[in-house]
Amino acid sequence: MPRSQVFVTRQIFPEALEMISKEAELEVWPDEYPPTPEQLRKKLSGVDAVLTNIMDRVDRSVMDAAPRLKVISQMAVGLDNVDVAEATRRGILVGHTPGVLAKATADLTFALMMSAARRVSEGDRWVRRGQWQLAFHPMRWLGVDVHDSTLGIVGLGQIGLEVAKRARGFDMTLLYHSRTRHPQVETQYGLKYAELPALLATADFVSLHVPLTPQTLHYIGQRELRMMKPSAILINVSRGPVVDSRALYTALTEGWIRGAALDVTDPEPIPADDPLLTLENLVVTPHVGSASVAARRAMCLLAARNLVAGLKGHRLESCANPELYQPRGAQLGQGSGRDAAPE
């Protein structure tokens, strides 16, 4: 029996590639930059499974070019680049990697929060430009405290909850907003539910942890930024388009809010001439929330296990369309559900 054909859209940890190569013929995209849509369609024309990441758009046209495709295994939590509904209609399993990156992303959230609050990145740039002339002045470089402040978490999925855990060590008052309430979590971690307007009006720091969907596109726009305190700081580690970039620029330049910290932008990469990059009260990192060695290795291995399981007809560890298991429930059981989408 001929072996399955697999395409991996980027170089990943070798142990993950080794796992796949034991089960299938494997081709790995060799370039640093992702394949173009045309190149991706060509590469998938004869494969049974593909391992993707967030830069690879897998839409109807790509699936049309891949008649043998059985599994799309995404090395990420979010799936806004994959047409999951279309994949489900065609019987293609979609895997993703929730859980394994939550702690690393929560760590990065706090790094951004601290940097924006205490002006770390701004101060670093100032020193490197040779502007540090005066050793100390009691009224220069004043930031704001993180401890004893109020943190508003928007989206209480795995990452949002990990952020809440870290915030408790800073004695922060914790508010959250989500599609559904979590009474048990509220009791366990001292969280208080708030409607979005109340959260925005109260929080000193607002941290975004929602998936990108049609409902969350520009979820934070001019109206929402106007609701925030002039002393507040916005942190976004979810997806760039969740925040209206033009409205954010206005908010930062006109003082609607004190500052912002972004690990994600719209678009990505952010153009070098984007006006946001001229602002000193903005911290930007290049989508590195999960970029710890341990987290990325775990993501690669989970994505590889999902892919191999799908090829073998087994249940994916983390499946975004478990409804495909329903006709064969006795054989394959239930998938893990859409746990990529923080609530």
Side-chain angles (χ1 to χ4, degrees):
M1 179 180 294
R3 280 158 59 89
S4 297
Q5 302 294 313
V6 172
F7 181 62
V8 178
T9 65
R10 217 77 84 255
Q11 292 286 343
I12 60 175
F13 278 86
E15 49 265 54
L17 295 176
E18 182 180 354
M19 184 190 305
I20 297 170
S21 66
K22 289 179 180 179
E23 305 294 337
E25 295 296 330
L26 176 63
E27 181 181 1
V28 182
W29 183 251
D31 295 344
E32 188 76 9
Y33 289 89
T36 65
E38 182 179 351
Q39 289 169 326
L40 186 60
R41 286 192 291 270
K42 183 176 180 181
K43 288 296 183 182
L44 297 191
S45 61
V47 305
D48 302 283
V50 59
L51 195 152
T52 60
N53 67 44
I54 60 170
M55 298 304 294
D56 307 308
R57 180 154 297 283
V58 185
D59 56 17
R60 180 177 297 183
S61 69
V62 171
M63 296 180 211
D64 283 341
R68 288 170 45 182
L69 194 62
K70 301 180 181 71
V71 187
I72 300 166
S73 182
Q74 170 104 319
M75 199 189 87
V77 178
L79 287 160
D80 45 278
N81 60 305
V82 177
D83 189 338
V84 178
E86 181 63 21
T88 303
R89 190 182 70 80
R90 296 171 186 242
I92 301 171
L93 290 165
V94 179
H96 58 148
T97 59
V100 295
L101 53 76
K103 292 184 178 181
T105 305
D107 286 351
L108 191 276
T109 301
F110 249 83
L112 290 171
M113 190 185 307
M114 294 294 292
S115 180
R118 296 302 302 273
R119 305 172 68 180
V120 175
S121 298
E122 185 182 354
D124 178 78
R125 291 190 296 269
W126 191 71
V127 171
R128 291 175 186 274
R129 288 195 297 258
Q131 294 175 279
W132 191 8
Q133 306 289 328
L134 184 65
F136 175 80
H137 191 290
M139 297 304 293
R140 293 293 299 270
W141 289 104
L142 301 182
V144 294
D145 288 331
V146 174
H147 69 270
D148 296 325
S149 63
T150 298
L151 171 62
I153 299 172
V154 182
L156 197 69
Q158 293 172 324
I159 296 170
L161 181 57
E162 289 295 334
V163 170
K165 291 179 184 179
R166 284 149 181 75
R168 295 181 76 197
F170 284 78
D171 296 320
M172 301 180 85
T173 299
L174 299 176
L175 305 177
Y176 80 97
H177 177 73
S178 69
R179 291 174 299 179
T180 55
R181 289 192 62 167
H182 303 275
Q184 184 176 349
V185 174
E186 291 175 23
T187 301
Q188 184 173 359
Y189 295 104
L191 285 150
K192 181 179 179 181
Y193 179 83
E195 295 296 339
L196 185 62
L199 182 149
L200 295 174
T202 305
D204 299 301
F205 299 91
V206 175
S207 190
L208 305 177
H209 306 280
V210 297
L212 178 59
T213 67
Q215 292 71 38
T216 61
L217 178 66
H218 290 180
Y219 192 61
I220 302 297
Q222 179 175 322
R223 175 175 172 270
E224 290 73 25
L225 290 163
R226 285 281 196 185
M227 293 178 184
M228 293 175 64
K229 296 160 65 171
S231 58
I233 292 172
L234 177 71
I235 302 103
N236 186 15
V237 296
S238 57
R239 287 291 187 267
V242 168
V243 176
D244 183 336
S245 297
R246 291 186 179 182
L248 179 61
Y249 177 81
T250 303
L252 292 171
T253 54
E254 296 188 2
W256 302 356
I257 61 175
R258 180 184 180 89
L262 311 175
D263 185 46
V264 289
T265 60
D266 182 23
E268 289 185 7
I270 188 171
D273 61 352
D274 192 296
L276 281 171
L277 298 181
T278 65
L279 303 180
E280 291 291 349
N281 58 342
L282 175 69
V283 179
V284 183
T285 51
H287 205 145
V288 294
S290 64
S292 74
V293 173
R296 287 283 171 86
R297 178 181 283 115
M299 291 169 68
C300 290
L301 291 172
L302 177 51
R305 293 196 302 271
N306 279 334
L307 186 146
V308 169
L311 286 178
K312 289 183 171 183
H314 298 163
R315 183 181 65 187
L316 275 61
E317 287 185 38
S318 297
C319 186
N321 52 354
E323 54 267 38
L324 287 180
Y325 293 122
Q326 294 294 341
R328 299 175 291 163
Q331 297 172 315
L332 296 178
Q334 296 296 317
S336 62
R338 296 181 185 272
D339 45 4
E343 294 185 341

